[in-house]
Amino acid sequence: MKQIIKSSNSILILISLFIFSLCLNSCNEDCDCEEIVPELFQVDLSEFKLIRVKQYEVICGVEIDDQEIDSVLELGIVLSQNLDPELDVNAERRLVADSVVEEFVGIVGELATATSYHLRAYAITKLDTNYSEQISFTTIAENGTRGTVTDVDGNTYETLILGGLEWMLENLKVTHYRDGSDIVTGVSDEDYGDIDFGSYGIYPNRKINGFESDEEVLAAYGALYNWYAVIDERGLSPEGWHIPTDQDWIELEIFLGMSKAQAYDTDFRGSDQGAMLKSTNTLPDPHPSWKEGNIATNSTGFNAISGGARYENGNFGYKEWYTSFWTSTEVGTSSAWARTLSFDKAKIARNINHKNLGYSIRCVKD
């Protein structure tokens, strides 16, 4: 939080109050008092934003012009289940900044899960209390709550709340961006490693026993997307959802028992978090399934399946051996963070991989 504290006895305020006093004492038809009051005591709170909604708390912030700080006696945030919360009227919670600052970020906690609330920022001046526009939100439901989400192609996915985030329990299989435009596919092996635009591929059915069409593979395992599709501004995830960030994955891993130090490490780390996420389907079980020797409990219900990958040379491989999931977090001009699960490991890998690789995707609700 950026703390910018200025004296309320500044020369500007003294001069402004003097002019205002003169206007009140000599107000007539030629004195436009109504135009002076807003200039002195109306605080612009339009920069009020919702930062993060969780199960039991909400993070929000407000910015005010540094030239308005001197006229503010108190800056804060008010919350209620009632519309348009106001201090001393219908407010259920009040969060006050320690001092009047240019940018105030606060956490309002002890909220009920799956409950609708309304927020407003406020600024108390010498004459009035100013309020921002209202922001409404609903807290996340309890862990273990199930739901569904449907993408632009009409595919419906089961979902589950884990660690305060709602995750898809199936790999993304959409072939259009959110605006309806096609995602590029069919890029040749020769060209695949050099493209810098969104693309997807389907693991070839001829390389998997039991499948006769790519459509069957797509339905069972989802598509393999490069990272450029992940961050395409047209939107890869369903409306109201996003591709998880590296931090989203870290929060999930810590929720499953991984230490914070391990969570920020690279390669395979933790203990059995990978096993907790992997499907127990193992060959010769029907598709989707893992290789023999799969170490899995699927105790979370996350149901991670082995979708394989498409490599920079365009080849597809490691079906039933591995699965990797993209995050939306970039590392450099050519790489981004990903997560990898292996059939023979109970741990989960946090790795940096080339953006052209084709990986599976799970989405998270905003």
Side-chain angles (χ1 to χ4, degrees):
M1 184 187 303
K2 180 167 53 177
Q3 299 283 330
I4 301 178
I5 306 174
K6 297 186 179 180
S7 172
S8 62
N9 297 319
S10 69
I11 295 175
L12 178 59
I13 288 296
L14 288 173
I15 293 174
S16 298
L17 289 174
F18 177 72
I19 295 172
F20 178 63
S21 178
L22 289 177
C23 182
L24 287 178
N25 292 331
S26 60
C27 187
N28 53 45
E29 294 183 356
D30 297 326
C31 178
D32 192 355
C33 301
E34 293 182 356
E35 292 184 4
I36 295 178
V37 173
E39 292 178 3
L40 290 174
F41 300 104
Q42 189 66 38
V43 181
D44 182 3
L45 297 173
S46 60
E47 294 299 321
F48 178 49
K49 58 186 176 183
L50 198 62
I51 298 174
R52 184 76 182 271
V53 177
K54 297 188 175 184
Q55 288 169 313
Y56 306 104
E57 65 185 28
V58 60
I59 305 173
C60 47
V62 61
E63 293 182 45
I64 60 174
D65 193 298
D66 59 357
Q67 296 184 20
E68 296 178 330
I69 291 176
D70 290 338
S71 63
V72 178
L73 302 178
E74 181 177 298
L75 180 66
I77 294 164
V78 63
L79 173 143
S80 177
Q81 292 186 56
N82 299 301
L83 292 171
D84 300 317
E86 291 187 27
L87 298 172
D88 304 322
V89 177
N90 59 356
E92 298 174 16
R93 200 72 55 80
R94 177 179 187 170
L95 183 64
V96 183
D98 293 335
S99 56
V100 179
V101 295
E102 183 180 349
E103 181 180 353
F104 171 55
V105 175
I107 300 175
V108 183
E110 300 181 1
L111 305 179
T113 59
T115 302
S116 296
Y117 292 96
H118 310 284
L119 282 170
R120 289 208 291 179
Y122 71 88
I124 300 177
T125 69
K126 297 181 186 300
L127 288 187
D128 199 4
T129 300
N130 301 171
Y131 291 95
S132 70
E133 291 293 324
Q134 174 178 271
I135 295 178
S136 300
F137 68 94
T138 301
T139 50
I140 297 171
E142 294 285 353
N143 292 321
T145 303
R146 290 180 176 268
T148 60
V149 61
T150 302
D151 65 29
V152 69
D153 288 342
N155 301 303
T156 298
Y157 308 82
E158 290 189 52
T159 68
L160 180 68
I161 294 178
L162 292 169
L165 294 175
E166 187 170 356
W167 290 81
M168 279 185 178
L169 300 183
E170 304 170 57
N171 291 348
L172 191 67
K173 59 190 73 170
V174 70
T175 60
H176 296 85
Y177 290 111
R178 198 181 303 152
D179 67 355
S181 57
D182 292 335
I183 305 171
V184 173
T185 191
V187 178
S188 68
D189 292 352
E190 293 76 16
D191 295 335
Y192 187 73
D194 296 323
I195 64 174
D196 59 358
F197 51 83
S199 173
Y200 79 91
I202 301 172
Y203 206 98
N205 72 84
R206 67 180 184 279
K207 301 181 73 172
I208 310 175
N209 291 333
F211 285 118
E212 297 182 357
S213 70
D214 287 348
E215 288 73 22
E216 291 177 288
V217 179
L218 180 65
Y221 289 97
L224 299 172
Y225 304 87
N226 68 9
W227 192 80
Y228 299 106
V230 168
I231 50 89
D232 193 287
E233 62 183 9
R234 289 170 288 183
L236 184 62
S237 57
E239 187 71 38
W241 291 65
H242 64 272
I243 311 303
T245 64
D246 181 53
Q247 189 62 41
D248 287 336
W249 275 99
I250 285 173
E251 289 188 19
L252 174 61
E253 291 158 344
I254 291 175
F255 169 72
L256 297 180
M258 190 180 294
S259 71
K260 186 174 181 180
Q262 290 175 321
Y264 284 93
D265 204 351
T266 55
D267 207 353
F268 284 93
R269 72 265 196 272
S271 54
D272 61 343
Q273 287 75 33
M276 295 168 73
L277 296 174
K278 283 191 291 180
S279 165
T280 56
N281 271 29
T282 302
L283 291 175
D285 290 342
H287 292 289
S289 55
W290 287 85
K291 190 179 185 301
E292 299 91 335
N294 177 36
I295 301 173
T297 64
N298 199 26
S299 59
T300 60
F302 190 82
N303 205 39
I305 55 179
S306 177
R310 189 178 189 186
Y311 301 104
E312 292 175 75
N313 62 6
N315 291 341
F316 293 83
Y318 285 112
K319 181 74 191 61
E320 298 159 1
W321 290 65
Y322 296 98
T323 192
S324 291
F325 299 99
W326 276 126
T327 80
S328 60
T329 305
E330 186 176 30
V331 177
T333 56
S334 61
S335 57
W337 286 111
R339 291 298 186 279
T340 296
L341 298 168
S342 174
F343 83 99
D344 60 348
K345 289 182 173 60
K347 299 181 178 182
I348 182 171
R350 176 177 181 248
N351 36 25
I352 299 172
N353 291 333
H354 199 280
K355 294 176 180 178
N356 287 86
L357 292 168
Y359 284 163
S360 299
I361 287 175
R362 293 290 180 96
C363 298
V364 172
K365 192 171 184 179
D366 291 349

